[in-house]
Structure formats: C-alpha cells, structure tokens
Amino acid sequence: MTKNLKKIAVLTSGGDAPGMNAAIRAVVRSCAYHNLESVGVFRGFQGLVEGDFKALDARSVKNIINRGGTVLKTARSKDFFLKEGRQKAFDHLKEQQIDALVVIGGDGSFTGASIFINEFDFPIVGLPGTIDNDISGTDFTIGYDTALNTVVEAIDKIRDTANSHNRLFLVEVMGRDAGHIALNSGIGAGAEEILIPEEDMGKDRLIESLQRSKKSGKTSSIIVVSEGDQIGKNIFELAEFIKNNLEGYDVRVTVLGHIQRGGSPSCYDRVLASRMGVAAVDALLEGKRDIMIGVQHNKMVQVPFEEAIKHQPKIDLELLRVADITSI
Ligand code: F6P
C-alpha cells in the first residue's frame, strides 16, 4: 500500500455514458472509506488544462447513482493533445497537491492519459466508460448495457409500426468503429438483418437475403445498421439502393442518434461502475499506474493502457451465426 497517496482526482472524458455518475460516486466514496481526499475535475482533460477543480466528499455524490450523463461534465479536449496543454494540466495537479488521477472514458481518453503518464510520471488509472464497448481487455464497458436496452426498446416500437404498414425499416445505431451495439441489440430486438463494420455483407447479398425473407412469408423487416458500417455511403443511400432493388416494401429510415447515450443507467451498469470505481482506488493504493480496470469473466482485472487501446476486434462470431439462424 502506498503511503504517499493522499488526494485523488477524478474526471470523465469523451462521449458520456450512463453509469459514469455511479463510477464517480464509487471513486469518491472509496476515497472517503480509505481516508483519502478526492477532487472532481470538470469537463474532462479540458478542465485539467484550465484548473477547473472542486473538492468532493462522500455527501457530494449523493443521489447520482441513478442519473445518466456525468455530473462532472465531459469534453473531447484539443488542448490536452498539445504538450503545452499537458504541462498546464500537470502544473494544476501539482498546485492542488493531487497525487493520482482516475480517468473515466474511452480509448481516446486512455491514449491521452498514457502520453501524460510517460511525460510526467503521474499515476493514472482508467475506467472504461463508453456505450460502444470497443475497449480491449474488458468484456463490458460502463454504459453499454444501458445503451443496448435503450436501442431494443426503440426497435420494439419501430417494429409495431413496421408490422402495421408492411414496411422495411433501416435503423441506425451508434458504434463509430465497432458493431457491438448493432449486433447485440439486433439479436435482442429480432432484426432480420444486422450490418456491422467488422463483417462486410455486401449490398447484393443483402438484397438476396431480404428477398428470401419476403418469400418465406415475412411482411415487414428491420435492418439494424451500425453507424460505422461501410456497406453504403450512409444509411439514406442504402435505403435508396434497397428501394430500387427490392419490390413490394415501403422503406423507411430511423437514426436513433444520441438518445442511445442518455437515460438512467441499468442495474448492470450501476453495479459494474461501482465495482470498477472501488477497484480503481484499490489499484492506486497498490501503487499501480498506467492501467485500466476491466471486467473479464465477471472478475475485476487490471489491464495496461497499451493493451486497452489496441483495438483488437472482439466481435463474437457465434453471435453472427445466432443472428442468421434466429432471423430465418
Ligand atoms: O464513442 C461514443 C459515441 O457515442 C459513438 O458511438 C459515436 O460515434 C460518437 O460517440 C458520437 O460522438 P459525438 O457525441 O461527439 O457526436
């Protein structure tokens, strides 16, 4: 256990994700439990560069476990990617006598954190907070489960109207570089087709598959399209292609957009965030730095940042098979 650790700062960075507040709460309360001081940094790394800090205690984080978004606000900071900005951030941390930092965010945030650790030898532990689930070394990221539930609820509603009008709906879901949201929500919502960046189905095979579904007696169809999918230039262009190549369907497009990032976190995300927040403070007390807390086989693990940001595709091919079989 490190005796030099007295004050820990926490920030949220990148796109917000439901459960970030539960993670902040767990970090702050874990600090209180271990008689450490805690400080919130507003607007992610930008707040670090500008010195936008606030002392927190166990009561400052009351009634936030159930709230979406992040009470610390978040940003994608350009200044922090400049050496000058990082120097300012380090100076503010020293001024405030902060000994370590917990960063809740995605791969961009961990890349920034890793550069900072190498330059200033400052201890940082990361928690994976992104709805995309696109971080290596963890089975789940904070916010992913809630986003999936939001998407499934929305597609259930779209299915009602699709079915009533015998329509084909293309539904775009988030996931800039990864198809986790599309694949899992697509199976959960019973989509006929799921298009993800990791697997190029090709437009012609898509039309053939839709024709087969129609022949088998289906009167409406849902296609879930990950925003990172490359099959069409964009979802509207793909809708035009389907209109021109498939007879008998009225085609509509729904882009779910940022509703997927909001809302009260699911129980799973609250528990995951709480476990990760406690594990982050434990790791700092053990003298760890330059690592992310992950969950693997339902156990908390420590993963070097370098591993976490590798972008190893972790799409489960078995899920593609399940999607194919169950949508027949
Ligand atoms: O990384 C999370 C995410 O929600 C992606 O799925 C999406 O592409 C992106 O953020 C949207 O970012 P912004 O809110 O900056 O438009």
Side-chain angles (χ1 to χ4, degrees), residues 186-260:
I187 292 176
E192 273 61 38
E193 306 289 343
I194 303 169
L195 306 181
I196 56 173
E198 293 86 347
E199 182 84 3
D200 185 2
M201 184 181 195
K203 285 182 187 171
D204 296 333
R205 256 177 63 209
L206 175 65
I207 297 294
E208 280 165 27
S209 180
L210 289 168
Q211 277 163 344
R212 265 200 309 278
S213 299
K214 205 159 195 324
K215 270 200 198 120
S216 77
K218 292 200 182 196
T219 51
S220 64
S221 275
I222 306 276
I223 307 178
V224 177
V225 186
S226 176
E227 69 176 327
D229 185 72
Q230 299 300 317
I231 190 170
K233 259 192 241 123
N234 61 50
I235 194 165
F236 295 99
E237 189 248 23
L238 182 61
E240 274 310 305
F241 178 81
I242 294 172
K243 266 184 211 167
N244 295 335
N245 290 280
L246 185 75
E247 295 208 333
Y249 268 139
D250 204 10
V251 181
R252 292 288 186 277
V253 172
T254 301
V255 176
L256 292 184
H258 287 77
I259 64 157
Q260 295 163 90

Side-chain angles (χ1 to χ4, degrees), residues 76 130-132 174-176 227 258 261:
R76 303 188 201 271
T130 164
I131 63 164
D132 291 352
M174 276 186 168
R176 207 176 358 210
E227 69 176 327
H258 287 77
R261 288 235 298 258

Side-chain angles (χ1 to χ4, degrees), residues 7-11 24 27-28 31 36-42 52-57 72 93 96-98 100-102:
K7 208 191 250 190
I8 296 179
V10 55
L11 62 80
I24 296 166
V27 170
V28 170
C31 285
L36 301 168
E37 288 177 66
S38 59
V39 173
V41 181
F42 290 95
D52 195 358
F53 298 167
K54 187 185 173 196
L56 301 173
D57 62 25
L72 290 177
L93 286 166
Q96 299 287 324
Q97 296 177 314
I98 292 166
L101 176 66
V102 176

Side-chain angles (χ1 to χ4, degrees), residues 15-23 64-70 104 128-132 141-148 150 258-266 268-273:
D16 64 339
M20 279 183 163
N21 283 327
I64 66 167
I65 193 168
N66 54 322
R67 285 169 59 190
T70 158
I104 308 166
T130 164
I131 63 164
D132 291 352
T141 55
I142 297 166
Y144 172 60
D145 181 66
T146 308
L148 282 182
T150 302
H258 287 77
I259 64 157
Q260 295 163 90
R261 288 235 298 258
S264 184
S266 66
Y268 181 84
D269 274 331
R270 297 181 198 195
V271 175
L272 180 69

Side-chain angles (χ1 to χ4, degrees), residues 144-200:
Y144 172 60
D145 181 66
T146 308
L148 282 182
N149 288 316
T150 302
V151 172
V152 166
E153 203 182 316
I155 299 178
D156 286 350
K157 291 182 176 147
I158 292 169
R159 181 176 291 285
D160 289 344
T161 177
N163 194 32
S164 306
H165 286 266
N166 289 356
R167 278 179 173 163
L168 181 148
F169 267 83
L170 289 125
V171 183
E172 186 185 278
V173 300
M174 276 186 168
R176 207 176 358 210
D177 308 306
H180 298 287
I181 295 180
L183 186 53
N184 284 274
S185 68
I187 292 176
E192 273 61 38
E193 306 289 343
I194 303 169
L195 306 181
I196 56 173
E198 293 86 347
E199 182 84 3
D200 185 2

